[in-house]
């Protein structure tokens, strides 16, 4: 399973979201390859992804995808990330 965490530049916030998504997946006992990407690279990164994690303001920039797009409002809220991943992957 592949999950892509995206942000505007692909460095800071996507890295934070990646780490916290990995923690949330650990809580759920789910193994997945989580990668960080910027908006420009999301098409290539998400080509084989099952889930894309992003902020509300970047959803419109993702484009056409077969992945489930999951909006995360607070990248530091493990409860939110865990609940939304559980719903998306459940």
């Amino acid at each position: 399973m592949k999950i892509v965490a995206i942000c505007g530049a692909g460095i800071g916030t996507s890295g934070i979201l990646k780490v916290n998504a990995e923690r949330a997946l650990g809580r759920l006992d789910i193994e997945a390859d989580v990668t960080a990407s910027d908006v420009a690279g999301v098409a290539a990164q998400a080509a084989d992804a099952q889930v894309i994690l992003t902020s509300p303001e970047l959803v419109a920039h993702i484009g056409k995808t077969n992945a489930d797009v999951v909006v995360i409002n607070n990248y530091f809220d493990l409860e939110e990330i865990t609940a939304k991943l559980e719903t998306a992957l459940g």
Side-chain angles (χ1 to χ4, degrees):
M1 174 179 317
K2 182 175 178 182
I3 298 173
V4 179
I6 67 164
C7 70
I11 302 168
T13 53
S14 63
I16 292 166
L17 185 54
K18 175 188 182 300
V19 168
N20 286 334
E22 290 169 340
R23 289 180 182 159
L25 290 165
R27 287 181 173 187
L28 297 170
D29 199 28
I30 296 173
E31 288 189 31
D33 177 28
V34 183
T35 59
S37 178
D38 62 354
V39 171
V42 72
Q45 287 287 335
D48 59 345
Q50 286 73 38
V51 176
I52 298 171
L53 302 175
T54 191
S55 63
E57 50 279 351
L58 294 179
V59 171
H61 300 286
I62 293 172
K64 188 174 182 174
T65 180
N66 291 324
D68 288 332
V69 177
V70 176
V71 175
I72 303 297
N73 294 300
N74 182 345
Y75 285 15
F76 294 98
D77 186 346
L78 276 179
E79 298 301 323
E80 176 190 4
I81 297 167
T82 302
K84 289 184 175 178
L85 280 173
E86 185 173 34
T87 299
L89 300 173

